[in-house]
Amino acid sequence: MSLKENLDRIRERIIAASLRAGRDPAEIKLVAVSKTIPVEVIKEALTLGVTSLGENRVQEFLIKQPVLDRDIEWHFIGHLQTNKVKKIIDKVSLIHSLDRWPLAEAISRAACEAGIVARALIQVNVAGEATKYGLSPAEAEDFARDAAALPGLEPCGLMTIAPECDDPEDTRYVFRQTADLARALKKSVQGIKMDILSMGMTGDFEVALEEGSNVLRLGTALFGRRY
Ligand SMILES: *Cc1c(COP(=O)(O)O)cnc(C)c1O
């Protein structure tokens, strides 16, 4: 399948899932996960109307970012080392992977130095998988309150990665609990924004969308198997 066919198919599936869920497909953002994908292939995706790209490694991001279009909206979706925050802070639109307190402090510091407000999503690990980063739902409220109080850092919502399952229905509870948590935080943490739910990858994005996701992070569905 060509990139164009893949993208058309993704768009059809987003529309169909939105209709099923009684949602407006226009409110669903597609972040094309371009990790490991060569710049030439990414450029083709951009000509097809992709506007947001997600990378998970600082090194790779810093190589690709300068050679690609200036008005790409960049999303940082991977585990981020505190000593690398400075390198990306003013180059990304959203950090999806705020997963621990020292990172919140590092983002705050770097953003203040750069004179910007950095937007970030709190990553939650609903299934409690030892192999995944993120806060437990129980830790999220105190974390969100403290993070929202830091200068230069604006928490905007939640991100989660569901366990790999053969049947995406098995991950529905993860997305539902994340959406519930976002609603609870919005109520309990004064002034916090919880507008963004980054949930859903190639294997489970329709279920995530049905449960309230408005940012889908898709790699394989668009680019095929990674290099
Ligand atoms: C790689 C990656 C994705 C994309 O995964 P696919 O299954 O290829 O769509 C999404 N989110 C994160 C955090 C990733 O690292």
Side-chain angles (χ1 to χ4, degrees):
M1 287 253 265
S2 71
L3 214 50
K4 177 165 189 328
E5 286 168 318
N6 289 347
L7 188 59
D8 288 345
R9 183 81 190 106
I10 289 168
R11 285 176 173 151
E12 284 166 16
R13 289 171 64 185
I14 290 175
I15 290 170
S18 299
L19 293 179
R20 273 201 302 283
R23 301 186 56 196
D24 178 359
E27 66 186 38
I28 314 297
K29 183 191 286 275
L30 167 65
V31 173
V33 176
S34 51
K35 63 188 185 195
T36 79
I37 306 300
V39 163
E40 291 315 312
V41 179
I42 300 174
K43 282 183 179 165
E44 191 191 337
L46 297 174
T47 66
L48 297 171
V50 165
T51 55
S52 301
L53 296 177
E55 288 284 340
N56 69 337
R57 288 178 195 276
V58 169
Q59 200 85 357
E60 190 177 341
F61 165 71
L62 290 175
I63 291 170
K64 287 172 173 174
Q65 187 261 345
V67 297
L68 286 163
D69 224 332
R70 284 188 146 266
D71 32 67
I72 293 169
E73 188 180 291
W74 287 99
H75 292 248
F76 195 82
I77 62 171
H79 186 63
L80 180 55
Q81 285 174 258
T82 51
N83 62 357
K84 296 196 174 151
V85 171
K86 251 182 144 163
K87 298 181 176 171
I88 68 159
I89 195 73
D90 58 347
K91 299 184 172 70
V92 298
S93 154
L94 184 64
I95 296 171
H96 290 226
S97 43
L98 174 52
D99 57 7
R100 63 200 189 283
W101 185 250
L103 181 60
E105 290 179 320
I107 292 172
S108 168
R109 219 176 307 121
C112 288
E113 274 172 27
I116 59 165
V117 174
R119 297 162 67 244
L121 306 179
I122 298 169
Q123 182 174 352
V124 289
N125 181 358
V126 169
E129 288 178 284
T131 54
K132 294 216 170 89
Y133 294 104
L135 287 102
S136 72
E139 297 168 314
E141 184 179 329
D142 284 345
F143 184 93
R145 185 173 290 114
D146 293 345
L150 286 175
L153 169 60
E154 178 176 57
C156 306
L158 302 180
M159 183 275 245
T160 199
I161 303 173
E164 273 185 50
C165 291
D166 292 334
D167 182 357
E169 276 302 326
D170 295 343
T171 63
R172 186 176 292 276
Y173 79 98
V174 170
F175 302 129
R176 185 165 296 175
Q177 283 182 28
T178 304
D180 286 345
L181 180 61
R183 276 186 286 270
L185 293 176
K186 175 104 186 140
K187 274 197 197 129
S188 61
V189 180
Q190 175 141 32
I192 199 165
K193 273 199 195 156
M194 276 287 137
D195 305 335
I196 301 178
L197 279 177
S198 168
M199 332 190 277
M201 303 167 39
T202 291
D204 55 24
F205 72 91
E206 284 143 314
V207 174
L209 192 161
E210 287 167 15
E211 295 300 329
S213 171
N214 53 13
V215 176
L216 309 176
R217 309 178 310 269
L218 302 183
T220 313
L222 179 61
F223 295 111
R225 293 277 293 279
R226 272 184 281 282
Y227 294 64

